[in-house]
Amino acid sequence: MVSNAKRFIEAYNRLDKGMREIYNIKPAVNFSDCVRKVASVNSVIRKYEDDIIEYGRLRNAIVHNDSEETIAEPNTNVVEKIESIARLICTPPRVMDTVANRSVFIVDAGTKLSEVLKQMFQTGYSVVPVYSNGTLVGVINRKMIVEALGAGVSAGVDLDDLSALPVSEALDLSQSNHTYEVVSSQTTIDGVLYLFQSNRKLSVVIITKNGNYNEQPIGVVVTSDTIDMQTILDNY
């Protein structure tokens, strides 16, 4: 049976190596400073930052620096927790394999606004990527459509005329640039959570094979999915 000390040291070493490799942190940077650097861009490390720094101190209490001989035994709860954190950093769950909706509804920029409204009502989608000649040019949501219709009617434009306009003419798609991000199929749950946490206006993350705007989407993640993503990380 593997001792708790051995399990702890193995998990600690995996975590230390994983953070440095993923975020390109030099060996000369001490463990605590490494944790603080990674915490600024990784929600898992940020959540457990204080605990992980304490684990660094515990590691020095468990291991005799000169001989690497273990001189203390951590309790099982601590061992299981650092093992869980190491798994999240070194083998993190991908968003495409978990919460991403693979049924993606997109519209062409030339689609009439009335047709888009109809399809959004029928499908239940509230945020829709817009493509033009195979390239993502923006996203639309119900709020944008209501505001566009309201502004047009207030300006004296006939509602039927507004509804017949192509999406690209009826809506200023450039205004949606800050509400979406495009990521690759390899993006982790933590990576997507970081995007939502760093941009409160973000409403949808669009997943393509390589994260390029000229690729068709293979999945989407919306704001409401963040609860499920956090639950997955907590139980991983």
Side-chain angles (χ1 to χ4, degrees):
M1 182 171 145
V2 180
S3 69
N4 277 357
K6 183 175 177 58
R7 287 173 58 191
F8 179 92
I9 296 303
E10 288 178 349
Y12 172 91
N13 289 339
R14 278 200 313 276
L15 177 59
D16 185 32
K17 181 180 179 182
M19 288 191 297
R20 293 179 191 279
E21 287 183 348
I22 295 169
Y23 296 99
N24 195 29
I25 298 175
K26 297 179 179 179
V29 177
N30 68 48
F31 182 76
S32 295
D33 288 342
C34 175
V35 172
R36 293 188 181 98
K37 285 177 178 291
V38 176
S40 66
V41 293
N42 185 292
S43 65
V44 174
I45 299 300
R46 182 163 59 252
K47 179 178 180 179
Y48 298 109
E49 180 178 358
D50 292 339
D51 289 335
I52 297 170
I53 290 174
E54 284 299 319
Y55 294 156
R57 300 188 181 102
L58 179 57
R59 182 265 177 200
N60 294 332
I62 292 173
V63 177
H64 191 283
N65 287 330
D66 294 331
S67 64
E68 290 294 314
E69 177 186 359
T70 58
I71 56 177
E73 284 282 315
N75 68 54
T76 301
N77 288 338
V78 168
V79 172
E80 291 177 346
K81 189 168 183 179
I82 193 173
E83 287 176 335
S84 175
I85 295 170
R87 281 195 302 274
L88 282 168
I89 298 304
C90 300
T91 57
R94 298 188 309 172
V95 69
M96 194 62 203
D97 298 331
T98 50
V99 300
N101 187 342
R102 294 171 182 265
S103 176
V104 186
F105 167 49
I106 66 174
V107 297
D108 185 88
T111 306
K112 291 181 180 180
L113 191 59
S114 58
E115 181 61 25
V116 174
L117 276 171
K118 177 182 176 182
Q119 292 186 41
M120 290 177 74
F121 177 77
Q122 291 176 340
T123 62
Y125 290 107
S126 58
V127 183
V128 181
V130 181
Y131 278 73
S132 177
N133 297 318
T135 298
L136 179 68
V137 293
V139 298
I140 59 174
N141 57 43
R142 293 169 182 170
K143 182 175 182 289
M144 291 173 64
I145 294 174
V146 170
E147 288 180 348
L149 291 175
V153 171
S154 297
V157 181
D158 186 87
L159 185 59
D160 289 337
D161 293 337
L162 282 170
S163 300
L165 287 174
V167 168
S168 57
E169 292 184 27
L171 306 175
D172 183 2
L173 295 177
S174 65
Q175 294 298 313
S176 70
N177 288 345
H178 60 284
T179 67
Y180 70 93
E181 292 280 356
V182 181
V183 301
S184 79
S185 59
Q186 300 302 311
T187 304
T188 64
I189 285 180
D190 176 73
V192 173
L193 275 176
Y194 176 75
L195 292 176
F196 279 111
Q197 291 166 355
S198 59
N199 179 7
R200 296 299 178 182
K201 294 181 179 180
L202 186 64
S203 62
V204 59
V205 173
I206 301 165
I207 306 166
T208 69
K209 182 179 179 181
N210 299 300
N212 297 327
Y213 280 65
N214 60 353
E215 296 177 314
Q216 290 294 296
I218 57 176
V220 295
V221 180
V222 295
T223 309
S224 59
D225 292 322
T226 57
I227 297 174
D228 290 337
M229 287 190 284
Q230 190 60 62
T231 300
I232 290 170
L233 291 183
D234 291 342
N235 297 304
Y236 187 65

